[in-house]
Amino acid sequence: MRTVQQQRSDVEQYLDSGFLDLDGLLDALELVVEPSSSLFGKPGLQLRKCPAEGRKVAIAISGGGAAGAYNAGLLEVLLARMRQRGIEPDLLVGTSSGALNGYGVFLESLGMGNPQFDSEPSVRQPYGSYIASVWSYMARDGKASRWVVGRRSWIVRLVSRGARRRWSLVGLILAAIGALLLFQPNLLLPLATPIAEPGPDGLAGAVPFLFGYAVVATVVLSLVLWLVLRRFGQSLFLDLPLLGFLANTGPNGDLRRRPSGPKGQAVDQAKVLSRNIVRRWYDRGRHAPEFIITGTDISAGRECLFTLVRPETYGLLRRAEWMAVQFDSDSGAASEYRGQTEALFTRSERLLQALVASSAVPGAFPTQRIGIYEGGSSSVAHHHFVDGGVMNNSPVHIAIDAGATHVISLEILPHDSSDELRPDQRGRGRYLLLEAALATLTTVLERAIKQDVRRTASWNRFLVSRPKSLDSGRAEDTENQRSRRIVPLYRIAPTQPLVGTVEFDGRFEAGQRTVTLRDLLQRGVLDMQGRNVWTATLRHEPGWRDPDSEVAESLYQASA
């Protein structure tokens, strides 16, 4: 029989183990901390084996544009090793490109991936996971951005690489000269001098010329503005290429097809695949993972969760006051949700559109118009949605509110370092306009995740120091017990800063090296081979120390 001191040592090591390798992470997923009582009735904590039916492993995936390829590399190794242990992710939560990564894992778990990765030599990729194969295929020719933004991929190349080619510099110089002459016609005055009549008022002859030039310039400027507003009035990029690409990831899609095609065909194909995915999920019952897509409802002014979760999980999200919108079932399988108070739904055909909405950075991509309705109502309210990171939506907090017992957070920014004066790897390079905007949004999202991890660690420390609060609802109130539980949290992040958010086609660094999506994929794979998993259950980041006392001193205060 183990002594109290031995139990305390085991719990301390489990909750505050620092960095782990992948085997250490998988071992930790099979354990759980629960309250216990000593001989004299004093509350404490004990470590025990977690049964599979009582375990809910969540993978929370943050966004980051092109850097999402890194998380796909992490998933390549993580999923393979989890399945070797017989552990499947029970919940997938993603924001922006993290939602796309979660979708790839979700699609594979349903057995609905595109079979071309197995049967077509031109599509097959050297990866085992479906989502890593998708990223690798998208980047096979170094022009990945065309699968995301279509014909406007030249904007991505201009933003990420700058005007490095000779023709680009010449074109920009000519455009600058043309704009200068258009807005400053007086610079053409010397050219009009030969037309003028001799005499003291010789330049008077140039007036008709300048007047005619002003009329022509006004017409040309108006035409240019009309064309710009027509092409870029709603957003810099279009949403159709990404929607069409997602539609082709299904079992009946053709990944060899160009992303630019008839709009109606892509939309219809996306709707059909969405309905089939939702139907398959409801048919699989308890054998399929739950999936949550984050978004921002700018019509209602709040965060929104598009969900394919079970009724009890949906109830937890609603009690946590999330705006949770469940994908409805055409077969009536969603009847259990309609009995819940203020349950919200959207049609099953909107699944892929919700993924596009989660990645719709304001200004870069158009808003997505999606209809939502209450279970017992026939009226549909159409709202507009944009990127989930706008409202500081943290996948970690959502996973915990959804009842996760263990959370694995996949991130794209390195763990905080004490060196606040570390120089930017860009050196003297500057951020371009779109690049700076997207990098700022990504930083805001990642900062929200770090703050959420900090709050989770603080709450875990509080529960550790007061085990009695865990035991209070053990037999009487299951819902209260689920809200008062120690949630082991594990953060996986890169060791070095990644490529920028919009650099889908690679970036030339110091004129020598090109970073591609495949490089990021491989980097994620390699990082999972070291001790790169930080145990953030009690300490949210490496190097953090409790300002009042060490973490170990707070363990078992009630039973000391």
Side-chain angles (χ1 to χ4, degrees):
M1 182 175 180
R2 299 180 62 84
T3 65
V4 174
Q5 288 297 330
Q6 288 174 327
Q7 290 182 0
R8 171 175 174 174
S9 177
D10 291 342
V11 173
E12 288 178 359
Q13 178 61 27
Y14 177 75
L15 295 177
D16 194 26
S17 54
F19 279 105
L20 298 173
D21 56 14
L22 187 51
D23 286 328
L25 170 62
L26 298 179
D27 291 338
L29 295 180
E30 297 181 351
L31 301 173
V32 67
V33 176
E34 65 175 14
S36 66
S37 297
S38 65
L39 180 63
F40 301 100
K42 292 184 177 180
L45 298 175
Q46 65 178 353
L47 195 63
R48 69 174 181 87
K49 193 81 170 180
C50 183
E53 60 274 11
R55 180 178 58 207
K56 189 171 186 177
V57 178
I59 301 180
I61 315 173
S62 65
Y70 174 81
N71 282 338
L74 297 178
L75 289 168
E76 164 75 11
V77 182
L78 177 62
L79 293 173
R81 296 291 297 277
M82 287 178 64
R83 287 162 182 167
Q84 288 178 1
R85 294 281 195 101
I87 302 174
E88 289 286 342
D90 302 291
L91 173 63
L92 301 163
V93 188
T95 297
S96 194
S97 65
L100 302 180
N101 282 327
Y103 163 76
V105 179
F106 183 70
L107 199 66
E108 182 181 12
S109 69
L110 295 176
M112 297 186 65
N114 193 314
Q116 288 181 331
F117 280 117
D118 297 322
S119 61
E120 178 60 43
S122 62
V123 177
R124 188 181 297 117
Q125 299 297 313
Y127 290 97
S129 68
Y130 186 73
I131 187 58
S133 297
V134 170
W135 279 96
S136 179
Y137 177 76
M138 187 170 61
R140 69 194 188 285
D141 56 0
K143 297 181 180 179
S145 61
R146 68 179 182 177
W147 300 98
V148 181
V149 299
R151 294 177 180 176
R152 297 183 182 178
S153 59
W154 62 270
I155 301 178
V156 174
R157 289 192 292 274
L158 181 63
V159 170
S160 62
R161 298 184 181 182
R164 296 178 179 272
R165 295 184 180 181
R166 184 175 302 175
W167 65 267
S168 299
L169 290 172
V170 172
L172 289 176
I173 292 174
L174 293 178
I177 294 175
L180 183 63
L181 294 179
L182 187 63
F183 289 102
Q184 296 292 333
N186 58 298
L187 297 177
L188 294 175
L189 200 58
L191 299 179
T193 303
I195 306 176
E197 298 179 1
D201 299 327
L203 292 179
V207 173
F209 171 81
L210 293 178
F211 178 77
Y213 175 83
V215 172
V216 173
T218 302
V219 173
V220 171
L221 181 61
S222 301
L223 180 62
V224 170
L225 290 176
W226 180 79
L227 291 174
V228 169
L229 290 176
R230 180 181 175 86
R231 191 167 181 83
F232 302 102
Q234 187 177 8
S235 63
L236 187 60
F237 301 123
L238 299 176
D239 54 358
L240 185 62
L242 179 58
L243 182 66
F245 179 69
L246 291 174
N248 281 320
T249 59
N252 298 320
D254 187 0
L255 289 168
R256 299 167 299 181
R257 186 180 303 161
R258 289 285 182 178
S260 57
K263 180 177 180 180
Q265 179 181 357
V267 172
D268 292 342
Q269 187 179 0
K271 289 181 178 180
V272 171
L273 177 58
S274 297
R275 285 195 292 264
N276 291 338
I277 292 174
V278 174
R279 186 182 301 114
R280 175 71 67 87
W281 184 83
Y282 278 106
D283 291 343
R284 292 284 299 273
R286 298 282 173 177
H287 301 289
E290 298 174 302
F291 186 31
I292 299 178
I293 305 167
T294 71
T296 298
D297 185 348
I298 59 176
S299 299
R302 61 173 302 178
E303 65 278 4
C304 177
L305 308 181
F306 294 99
T307 63
L308 270 177
V309 298
R310 297 179 183 89
E312 60 271 19
T313 303
Y314 187 83
L316 290 174
L317 293 173
R318 292 299 297 177
R319 280 190 288 273
E321 299 184 352
W322 289 102
M323 179 183 175
V325 180
Q326 177 80 359
F327 291 103
D328 207 349
S329 171
D330 300 332
S331 62
S335 58
E336 294 184 62
Y337 302 83
R338 285 176 163 77
Q340 301 192 30
T341 305
E342 298 181 348
L344 300 177
F345 298 89
T346 188
R347 295 178 61 86
S348 60
E349 63 187 29
R350 299 299 181 183
L351 174 62
L352 293 188
Q353 189 181 4
L355 286 171
V356 175
S358 183
S359 307
V361 177
F365 292 94
T367 61
Q368 298 297 309
R369 185 172 180 265
I370 300 177
I372 57 178
Y373 53 91
E374 293 185 352
S377 175
S378 59
S379 61
V380 178
H382 288 88
H383 289 195
H384 287 264
F385 297 86
V386 295
D387 196 298
V390 172
M391 295 294 291
N392 293 345
N393 227 357
S394 170
V396 173
H397 192 59
I398 297 170
I400 294 175
D401 285 345
T405 59
H406 303 75
V407 179
I408 303 173
S409 176
L410 304 186
E411 305 169 17
I412 63 167
L413 291 183
H415 296 301
D416 283 347
S417 171
S418 58
D419 183 11
E420 297 180 351
L421 298 179
R422 182 179 61 236
D424 194 326
Q425 286 190 343
R426 290 176 175 272
R428 296 184 179 180
R430 296 182 179 180
Y431 285 88
L432 299 178
L433 179 61
L434 177 61
E435 188 180 16
L438 293 180
T440 300
L441 180 61
T442 303
T443 302
V444 169
L445 173 63
E446 286 299 312
R447 180 53 56 185
I449 294 176
K450 291 179 184 294
Q451 292 297 328
D452 216 20
V453 172
R454 179 191 293 267
R455 288 194 295 268
T456 301
S458 177
W459 176 245
N460 283 337
R461 290 195 302 273
F462 170 80
L463 294 178
V464 164
S465 65
R466 293 168 175 81
K468 186 177 180 180
S469 61
L470 287 170
D471 194 51
S472 59
R474 188 174 181 182
E476 304 155 1
D477 189 353
T478 304
E479 294 177 4
N480 186 44
Q481 179 193 7
R482 173 150 287 193
S483 64
R484 290 185 178 183
R485 67 194 189 282
I486 298 173
V487 181
L489 178 59
Y490 306 95
R491 299 176 61 190
I492 308 178
T495 55
Q496 299 292 331
L498 298 177
V499 69
T501 54
V502 295
E503 296 163 5
F504 290 97
D505 295 335
R507 177 181 178 83
F508 291 98
E509 298 182 356
Q512 298 177 353
R513 185 165 63 94
T514 303
V515 178
T516 66
L517 293 185
R518 288 189 171 185
D519 293 332
L520 295 179
L521 266 172
Q522 190 61 26
R523 184 169 168 183
V525 171
L526 294 176
D527 278 355
M528 285 303 294
Q529 298 177 4
R531 296 179 64 85
N532 193 41
V533 182
W534 173 252
T535 306
T537 308
L538 298 179
R539 291 188 292 165
H540 60 280
E541 63 189 26
W544 181 86
R545 293 291 182 271
D546 191 329
D548 298 324
S549 63
E550 291 294 329
V551 173
E553 295 177 4
S554 66
L555 289 169
Y556 284 86
Q557 286 182 355
S559 59

